[in-house]
Amino acid sequence: MPSGSGTFRARIFLLGALFLGCAFLLVYRLYEFQWLQREKYREQATRNYERTIEVPAQRGSIFDAQGNPLAVTIQLDAVSVTGKDLKEPKKAEQTALALSALLGMPAIDVFNLIDPNRDDPVTIKDQLPAAVADRIRDAIDAGALPGVTVQPRPVRQYPEGPIASPILGFLGRDREGLAGLEWYFESELAGAPGLIETEVDTTDKEIILARRIVQPPRDGTDLILTLDRWVQRMLERELAEAVRANKASGGLVLVMEPSTGGILGMTSYPTYAVSDPMVFRQGEDALHKAVSVTNQYEPGSVMKLVTMASALELGSVTPNTMVNDNGIVTFQNGRGRPPTTIKNWDLRANGTISATEVLVRSSNVGTYQVAQRVGPAELYRFFNLFGFGERTGIQLPGEVPGTVRTPDDPAWSVVDLATNAFGQGIAVTPLQMLNAVAAIGNDGVLMRPTIVRQMDGPDGPRRPEPQQIRRVISADAARTLREMMVTVIEQPALIPHRIPGIQVAGKTGTADFPTDLGYNTGKTFASIVALLPADRPKLAILIRLDAPEAMYGGTAAAPVLKRVGSELATYYRISATTNGR
Amino acid sequence: MSSIAPTHPGSIPARMLGAPRVRRPSRVLLAIVVLLGMAPPAYLLQTGGALTTGYEIQKLERERTVWLNRNQQLEVEIARAQSLAWVEHEAVHRLGMQRANQTVVVRVDTPVPAPPEPRLLRRGGEPIPAVPTEDGPSFADAIDFIMRTLGRSS
């Protein structure tokens, strides 16, 4: 039976081949699982029992110059309920009743927050007082509150209350800085979270012995500011009062230490409260800006100091150089266009007056004549040297460089030379203006403004030295200009606003609001800058009121300087000077 | 005891005669068996102990964290109680004080008071220099002077 035997053999062979094929398939699948896809399955298996826990870093604090905390992060307890653990309505009711008694909340409110279909914990109340959190923890330990957990959560606190809000800035819901220093120094303040790897059992409970620290958390850096809480608070109080008394739409005050460029106080009004739980409201975003660096304005007559400084430095004038102020300057604008006239603020002619008198009387015409002696190229060079048209580099977000039109600009004309010389047609930030004045107080050396004195991180403290930008005028020219500024403050019209016992160098300024319709809106920026004491300035101050009823710097801002300057002189123990009356 | 049967002098050892050998468990083997038997419960005991200790450590760490958090909260409370806002609130509402309308400046020739001691920072401990001062009497000195003058004249 060859054929039958052959068939049998063929069948055996076929069966063998089938088994072999199956075996090969199995081996191949084994090879595929165990070798080719080993990483994938290893990962899946690891994911089943391994867990990575992120350990949050402690956010850095912000302190004032004396070490008083302005913004700190602490852990406050929050109570949550996991709905899936309270599927039975009776259980949920009991928990709601027990929690409401502990939290002082209506039981129905608590009950409504318990959703039996949710697997994730729902926060019932956060920022619990410690005693309440303890009572809830005890109840949980006693088994009286199933499904309830108490977990600490980081909360930013402001022990000094809402001071320097636009400077400090605020955090978002994800605890990232969204404004001010909190935004600017986000990476330094936030630190870096740590990582812990651990394993869990089949019930998803952590096996405590399996814990290993992969990366320890790196706490955030503390910032020590140059701001002083007392100065800041006083400025905020006085500015709010001045805005109210002058029926102004707003204002700002800046105080700087000329020798270091350190900002001792910086405030603006209106503002917001950083400690307010609803810190950000739609449509109020303008309040969150540090307007002293983000907004530019036309400084008005305060700018005459820079024009005069350049003239003194170049030797174009001395304090006694006489100029003829006939009250009006006319510029022809070409055929078919009306001429441009420049007049003094009081529409009067001052006659032949000295350069010092130009400042005392705040003569626009006289200042133009001084600017003519300096020349456009030199004047704009000095504007640039004093820092106008470039950012100061202060550690605050959104700083603008200002707007300075130079002779290189095709639209520039000689009218610009005249108006820029007395602070119109040029836009600067309040900080730029104060820094330029501070340079006059610092014997002609321009410093880089700073608001952070020290950064205190895990690697130890870092304290950058005060940074000198450049010398802009000689010490002699600066001293001479300060003497001229003293004469400005000691003129009879400002006698009622003198700071008792302290000799002050200063200059008032009044600038019209520029609008699309021109300057004639009847609204002004009334400002004053001051150095005190005049002989060896310790403080540089800028005060500006926006659209005050009294309109002029000498009538609206000067009284504020008296109040602020007196307080500062007492606080910083600036003694009466020989010439101070 | 030897596992080989006793022999008599001059006789052939029993093992050579093909007599059945009597084997007894050695002490070493017994010890191994006992040790092997004890290993699992010992391991379980040790692991259990370690786990208990681990959970105890975890519990203590949690407690420590709670106390550290409480400490931070208290520090903030202290800072809040020392804040100018709180001091002013207490002065006005509890003590009935009010802000002076006018600051009197009196020039006096008294020795220069020492500047305040620098305060220490939280971390690092580097002292911050005192506020800039200028030679001259403090407000307190002036008040003191006035009081002394008034006392003399009366």
Side-chain angles (χ1 to χ4, degrees):
Chain A
M1 301 201 316
S3 62
S5 167
T7 310
F8 181 73
R9 274 189 186 171
R11 282 178 182 168
I12 289 292
F13 181 77
L14 198 66
L15 202 62
L18 200 67
F19 277 120
L20 200 67
C22 286
F24 179 75
L25 204 68
L26 282 175
V27 169
Y28 176 75
R29 289 294 283 167
L30 195 66
Y31 168 72
E32 191 181 4
F33 286 135
Q34 294 290 328
W35 187 252
L36 294 180
Q37 297 183 7
R38 64 184 187 283
E39 285 305 323
K40 180 184 157 193
Y41 290 109
R42 182 183 295 164
E43 203 178 296
Q44 276 182 10
T46 307
R47 214 181 302 144
N48 266 343
Y49 65 87
E50 261 194 12
R51 296 283 183 276
T52 305
I53 303 171
E54 192 178 279
V55 186
Q58 171 83 10
R59 190 175 179 85
S61 304
I62 304 177
F63 297 90
D64 84 337
Q66 308 300 323
N68 301 298
L70 301 178
V72 292
T73 293
I74 58 170
Q75 306 287 327
L76 288 176
D77 291 313
V79 61
S80 312
V81 174
T82 308
K84 74 164 184 183
D85 296 339
L86 297 167
K87 283 199 184 295
E88 297 165 35
K90 191 150 182 69
K91 220 172 175 185
E93 265 176 41
Q94 282 172 350
T95 305
L97 277 170
L99 264 185
S100 73
L102 288 164
L103 296 172
M105 279 173 75
I108 188 70
D109 291 354
V110 180
F111 185 76
N112 287 339
L113 287 167
I114 301 173
D115 181 356
N117 299 318
R118 284 186 70 161
D119 290 350
D120 56 322
V122 175
T123 304
I124 304 293
K125 196 172 183 181
D126 56 10
Q127 301 191 25
L128 296 177
V132 175
D134 281 349
R135 280 206 294 275
I136 296 174
R137 275 203 185 91
D138 291 344
I140 292 169
D141 290 344
L145 290 173
V148 177
T149 48
V150 176
Q151 284 290 329
R153 290 187 192 160
V155 180
R156 203 68 164 160
Q157 296 278 294
Y158 305 93
E160 289 292 330
I163 67 165
S165 300
I167 312 299
L168 298 180
F170 59 91
L171 306 182
R173 285 183 194 280
D174 55 0
R175 292 186 281 279
E176 273 189 24
L178 295 182
L181 292 167
E182 298 274 20
W183 181 86
Y184 195 92
F185 287 101
E186 170 60 25
S187 56
E188 288 86 353
L189 284 167
L195 279 181
I196 287 179
E197 274 185 4
T198 187
E199 292 173 18
V200 291
D201 61 17
T202 48
T203 60
D204 211 31
K205 280 192 178 160
E206 188 189 350
I207 301 167
I208 202 70
L209 290 181
R211 266 196 177 204
R212 55 192 177 276
I213 297 172
V214 180
Q215 187 187 325
R218 187 179 165 85
D219 284 347
T221 299
D222 293 338
L223 300 182
I224 292 98
L225 307 185
T226 55
L227 284 186
D228 183 292
R229 67 168 182 170
W230 188 92
V231 175
Q232 185 67 25
R233 192 173 153 76
M234 183 272 292
L235 294 184
E236 290 183 5
R237 186 184 66 229
E238 293 297 337
L239 178 63
E241 172 59 24
V243 168
R244 191 193 59 76
N246 285 281
K247 296 178 181 163
S249 64
L252 54 91
V253 185
L254 291 171
V255 180
M256 180 189 271
E257 195 176 17
S259 59
T260 62
I263 302 290
L264 304 173
M266 178 187 268
T267 184
S268 58
Y269 189 94
T271 185
Y272 73 103
V274 72
S275 54
D276 189 341
M278 274 293 288
V279 72
F280 187 84
R281 292 180 180 85
Q282 287 294 331
E284 291 184 358
D285 41 339
L287 301 182
H288 297 88
K289 296 193 290 185
V291 292
S292 297
V293 300
T294 61
N295 291 15
Q296 53 184 13
Y297 76 116
E298 297 192 15
S301 298
V302 171
M303 198 69 178
K304 287 170 183 163
L305 293 176
V306 180
T307 304
M308 197 59 78
S310 51
L312 289 170
E313 176 67 10
L314 294 171
S316 309
V317 297
T318 66
N320 299 319
T321 301
M322 304 306 281
V323 296
N324 184 25
D325 173 5
N326 58 8
I328 188 165
V329 182
T330 304
F331 298 94
Q332 297 303 325
N333 285 326
R335 206 185 309 165
R337 293 176 61 198
T340 304
T341 56
I342 285 172
K343 297 173 186 168
N344 286 329
W345 64 275
D346 54 0
L347 308 178
R348 287 165 59 176
N350 292 305
T352 305
I353 53 173
S354 68
T356 302
E357 283 291 296
V358 166
L359 287 182
V360 171
R361 299 184 190 203
S362 202
S363 163
N364 293 344
V365 176
T367 306
Y368 170 57
Q369 292 187 21
V370 173
Q372 270 187 316
R373 290 180 185 226
V374 174
E378 283 297 305
L379 186 68
Y380 286 101
R381 186 174 72 83
F382 272 95
F383 280 0
N384 185 254
L385 281 175
F386 272 99
F388 299 112
E390 65 180 27
R391 292 177 179 84
T392 63
I394 194 166
Q395 308 94 332
L396 284 171
E399 186 181 19
V400 294
T403 308
V404 183
R405 198 155 64 182
T406 65
D408 297 332
D409 192 315
W412 184 88
S413 74
V414 73
V415 180
D416 287 310
L417 175 70
T419 55
N420 292 174
F422 55 81
Q424 294 272 187
I426 183 171
V428 304
T429 65
L431 183 64
Q432 282 176 334
M433 193 68 246
L434 180 67
N435 203 31
V437 173
I440 298 166
N442 193 33
D443 284 341
V445 177
L446 189 74
M447 303 299 291
R448 186 164 309 284
T450 180
I451 201 155
V452 178
R453 169 173 287 171
Q454 186 170 311
M455 296 174 76
D456 197 0
D459 302 328
R462 268 189 296 144
R463 189 172 186 150
E465 287 298 309
Q467 201 181 339
Q468 183 177 319
I469 298 176
R470 57 184 159 260
R471 173 171 285 284
V472 287
I473 53 173
S474 67
D476 281 345
R479 210 170 300 124
T480 305
L481 185 55
R482 288 206 300 271
E483 285 166 9
M484 295 166 81
M485 289 165 70
V486 170
T487 316
V488 171
I489 293 296
E490 294 191 346
Q491 64 180 295
L494 294 179
I495 284 176
H497 310 313
R498 279 186 196 157
I499 299 169
I502 310 290
Q503 193 177 51
V504 176
K507 179 77 188 81
T508 58
T510 308
D512 293 317
F513 266 31
T515 66
D516 293 341
L517 302 171
Y519 285 100
N520 301 318
T521 58
K523 290 180 178 175
T524 58
F525 289 117
S527 63
I528 190 165
V529 291
L531 295 165
L532 70 148
D535 53 348
R536 279 180 297 151
K538 299 279 183 203
L539 304 170
I541 304 169
L542 183 148
I543 296 165
R544 192 190 84 190
L545 293 177
D546 305 345
E549 203 173 49
M551 286 185 72
Y552 298 106
T555 49
V560 188
L561 174 66
K562 181 183 179 181
R563 293 172 67 92
V564 167
S566 302
E567 294 263 19
L568 289 170
T570 307
Y571 182 65
Y572 285 117
R573 306 162 95 190
I574 296 171
S575 70
T577 43
T578 317
N579 298 323
R581 281 163 281 184
Chain B
M1 191 206 274
S2 168
S3 63
I4 301 169
T7 54
H8 300 282
S11 64
I12 301 163
R15 130 176 105 167
M16 291 181 173
L17 296 173
R21 202 173 53 179
V22 180
R23 287 177 177 272
R24 296 192 179 182
S26 75
R27 286 178 185 173
V28 175
L29 194 65
L30 195 65
I32 287 170
V33 169
V34 169
L35 279 177
L36 281 175
M38 280 175 64
Y43 175 73
L44 279 176
L45 207 67
Q46 192 198 14
T47 313
L51 268 175
T52 310
T53 312
Y55 284 116
E56 196 66 29
I57 289 169
Q58 197 187 31
K59 191 181 159 201
L60 288 171
E61 271 180 359
R62 263 205 303 269
E63 268 180 40
R64 180 175 172 268
T65 309
V66 168
W67 286 115
L68 282 174
N69 291 344
R70 190 66 47 82
N71 200 33
Q72 278 186 337
Q73 290 167 17
L74 289 172
E75 275 178 12
V76 167
E77 282 304 312
I78 291 168
R80 200 168 276 141
Q82 288 175 341
S83 72
L84 295 174
W86 181 252
V87 170
E88 187 171 321
H89 177 271
E90 288 292 286
V92 172
H93 293 98
R94 200 157 63 85
L95 303 176
M97 297 172 84
Q98 61 180 25
R99 185 169 299 285
N101 284 329
Q102 197 181 354
T103 307
V104 181
V105 178
V106 180
R107 292 197 62 203
V108 285
D109 298 321
T110 52
V112 180
E117 284 295 312
R119 298 178 58 169
L120 292 183
L121 293 178
R122 198 189 72 174
R123 203 190 286 165
E126 190 185 329
I128 285 180
V131 292
T133 57
E134 187 177 290
D135 298 349
S138 67
F139 185 70
D141 295 330
I143 293 293
D144 188 43
F145 173 78
I146 293 167
M147 297 308 288
R148 274 191 280 117
T149 311
L150 287 174
R152 264 208 302 273
S153 63
S154 61

